[in-house]
Amino acid sequence: MPTSPIDEVIRHAGRIVLGKERQIRLALVCLLARGHLLIEDLPGMGKTILAHVLARLLGLNFHRIQCTADMLPADIIGVSIYDRNSGGFQFHPGPIFAQVILVDEINRATPKSQSALLEAMEEHQVTCEGETRPLPDPFFVIATQNPYHQIGTFPLPESQLDRFLMRIEMGYPNQAAERELLAGADRRDMVATLAPCMEPGELSEFQGAVREVHVSEALVAYVQAIAEHTRRSPDYETGLSPRAALALLRAARAWALIDHRDLVLPEDIQVVLPAVAGHRLHPASGAPTVSSADMASALIGAVPIP
Amino acid sequence: MAAKRESPRLARIQELWLLACAVLTLAPDAEHAPAWLTAAVGMTLAWRGAIWWRTATLPPRWLLTFLVAAGSAGIFLTYRQFFGKDPGVALLILFLALKLLELRSVRDGLAVIFLCYFLLLTHFLNAQGIEVAGLAMAALVAITAALASLGHAGRSAVEHLRLSALMLAQAAPFMLVLFLLFPRVQGPLWGLPVDAYSGMSGLSDAMSPGSISNLSLSGEIAFRVRFEGEIPPKHILYWRGPVLRLFDGRTWRAGAQQEKVSPPDTATSGAIRYAITLEPHNKHWLFALEMPDVPPPGAIISREYQVLAKTPVRSRMRYEMRSHPDFVSGADESGASLRSNMNLSANNPRTRALAEQWRRESGDQEAVIRRMLDHFRQESFFYTLTPPLLGENSIDQFLFDTRRGFCEHFASAFVFAMRAAGIPARIVTGYQGGEHNPVDDYLIVRQSDAHAWAEVWLEGKGWLRVDPTAAVAPNRIEAGLASAVPAGEPLPFLVRTDISWLRQIRFRWEAVNNSWNQWVLGYTPQRQREVLSRLGMREPDWKAMTAVMAALCGFLLLGLTAWALHKRVRLDPTVRAWNRLSRKLARIGLARRDWEGPADYAHRVALARPELTQPMAAIAALYIDLRYGRLNGKEPRQRLRGLIADMEIAVPR
């Protein structure tokens, strides 16, 4: 198997974020598929480290936005300030002008700030005082939210959740990984010493290669069968939208790419399904609440591969 | 002994399906079941609906037991027995409604569905019209869809309905074959009790003022006629029914009937041939154009030219007739029989005096007839559906006082006056005219076309038809009842001529109804023989029919099977090969799960059977290339088949 820069990224990231290869791969898939990632987990599970490591390894610059209830859109996008020397207004870009952004606790921000952020994510550009400014490319947002303490927060509405290609959970590390973590060096120091694995521009080549991954008719039929099932089955409140089905295909393509394949298999769909469909599907009222992983595996088991 | 297994509980949506089925099945019974049962069933359904809505608990067993006992007792009190058609159906209705109250498991659901199927059949015991059949068909689709929902709770209503429609569509050719070829028995399919015919309307063998105008208010169909060739003009369309000659001053009655021996006296012009489909009216007489010459099989023609069947007409009857519009009848009538057409009741003195006076003043009998008709025409007589009530001397009152009447008043006054003037005369009742349905070219004769006219006997000319109504309201004969009565009179809705789109719809509906009657309900042994011989079966007897029926059903079954197989054949050959691999590996318990992708499958097989790793990997790789990659063509597919066929699996003994 040829070692590609992507393998290197996964290998190096795995040394720092221990025992989380699946999450690393999914985050990478999300980046390659030009999507954004929502991580839902408790504080201290390595969300920031993951984002930071990815940025370092891919040679991208990294900003962090800590969301608070009194944050304004200008705090994210930036402001124009009057400059006495030049006699005009000068734009001071906000933290959003970076290639990898970690938006911490996005559900603490007010809906106004959230929508400013999410709009930037969707459009890949921001408009400030009538002037449209493009965001850097690649542009990758990792947002986190704390699922348990929702008091005083503004949970993302469904339409906003849909803007994230994937939602994943970090989860506790396993015993071996934790022991290694506790015994090992400080993770922040390790991140600081990381060297990029990719040349500038290589990442966008990979992003372009994702679109070249072959999707056969049989596979489209499988994605359709999955979407169709969620729409007809009484187990779900609403079915998957066509956009969700497209997202599923996009993520599966990227997954196939990092798996060194130029064609998508049903297994790729199944692997990305919990992350892609989990936040877009809701169990019907009356049905027992299950985790998105359980819901996805039930969905996979219910749809035969055509 | 196997442990008793609990039948799975019904989902809410399944319960709703079953309730809907029960409502659809029970609704048509409301018309025939006793009123208390209809009310009780309605209340039960509403109760069950409320339980469903609120997801409340079902009533306890003791209450159900009580309801069954009470309902059964009610049925026994109503019918005085449990056996027979009506009590049996009533019991089924009761049980279906009460079964809904203990609808818990899929097993209960099946019981409800089978009850619904059976009750659906019993609707045909009461009526066999096309609307009953249509309703039953709709209910059949719904019940079958409910049956489908019991098996697959997760699917949508549309899917259940589609499945049900597909299954019934597959059954339809079998139904057609059985309908066409199943050996028929004469008469209705099931015997009906005698009291089933009490509500039929139609002419009777007695006529008093008001009896025909009452009948005219009904838009019901009396019979339908199909002519060979053109429909004759309206003034010829006198459909002869009961002939009345006995008069008691108010009511005319028919006398005893004798079979006529000789054929019609003279036929001067071409005969009219036609077939009549008579609606049941529970009387002996059949209708025919004046004058019929040969009776249909099983009927006679009386001396008064009435066509009489041997038994009352209790089911729809089709017969063919031949009539001669120009006729001379009864020229050789005997004196005794003429005298029976001369008797007068004692009352109505003013009319008698007038007739006497006319006879004295006029020279001959024909002049008297003309004078009477002129009298109707010139004096202010009115033709109306709502004449004033008449007392004891009904004819005097009509002729001199009220002067408003319907055809029976005019005919009755005319015949009475003729007899008073010494001319033998009698009343003929029947129908006049009819409505041509341009859709199927049938002439429809309704109860509203009921009519009464007169016949007088003249020396050397025999019996002549005289229609006094034509003198007063010529439109009645030429254009039908609606144009003859003054505007604003209460006409049956269907007879009105002023709403043309309604007429169009009615014509279509009646044409459909008529074809249904002719071809579905009227598919008698004789019709069956006709159809089959037209299809090329000579001398079809029940053995031949059964053989052909079995053969056709066999062919149909083969055809459907071939279709099902063909659908399978259309599967991608790559997928078929892949499925074969799964079947092959199923022998060692490694069948592919239907959601399992090829790579996962190969991995699982390799884990379970390390010796299969190599061939399995090759097969999976090729399959992946063919199915999910860009590889295509015959050769790799054959290679895949070859690899799968060559894979050797050691089946553990």
Side-chain angles (χ1 to χ4, degrees), chain B residues 570-589:
Chain B
R570 285 202 343 233
L571 262 179
D572 191 328
T574 316
V575 177
R576 266 192 292 154
W578 187 243
N579 289 343
R580 193 167 323 126
L581 173 73
S582 169
R583 281 199 296 278
K584 207 166 167 180
L585 286 168
R587 279 184 278 164
I588 52 170

Side-chain angles (χ1 to χ4, degrees), chain A residues 34-168:
Chain A
R34 294 177 190 275
H36 303 287
L37 181 67
L38 180 65
I39 304 179
E40 209 172 66
D41 222 321
L42 296 169
M45 305 295 271
K47 289 172 291 201
T48 316
I49 291 290
L50 176 66
H52 213 150
V53 161
L54 280 180
R56 281 301 283 231
L57 288 172
L58 297 169
L60 305 172
N61 62 352
F62 174 75
H63 278 166
R64 177 183 173 148
I65 303 172
Q66 175 63 52
C67 293
T68 55
D70 55 358
M71 192 170 68
L72 294 173
D75 295 332
I76 298 171
I77 293 165
V79 280
S80 292
I81 294 172
Y82 182 73
D83 184 14
R84 213 168 352 164
N85 296 340
S86 64
F89 283 92
Q90 199 175 358
F91 182 69
H92 291 251
I96 199 160
F97 287 88
Q99 286 166 312
V100 176
I101 297 160
L102 177 68
V103 182
D104 239 341
E105 297 193 84
I106 190 171
N107 51 343
R108 294 228 173 266
T110 56
K112 198 173 174 181
S113 307
Q114 281 176 5
S115 78
L117 179 73
L118 293 160
E119 241 177 84
M121 281 164 53
E122 186 75 12
E123 313 289 334
H124 280 234
Q125 62 185 28
V126 291
T127 304
C128 178
E129 278 138 34
E131 202 176 324
T132 302
R133 294 165 208 277
L135 290 169
D137 184 65
F139 177 66
F140 181 46
V141 175
I142 300 177
T144 72
Q145 66 176 354
N146 184 335
Y148 299 107
H149 301 104
Q150 296 280 3
I151 302 160
T153 62
F154 304 95
L156 290 177
E158 250 143 74
S159 60
Q160 309 281 47
L161 276 177
D162 203 36
R163 309 226 171 162
F164 290 97
L165 180 65
M166 293 184 179
R167 185 188 66 182
I168 60 172

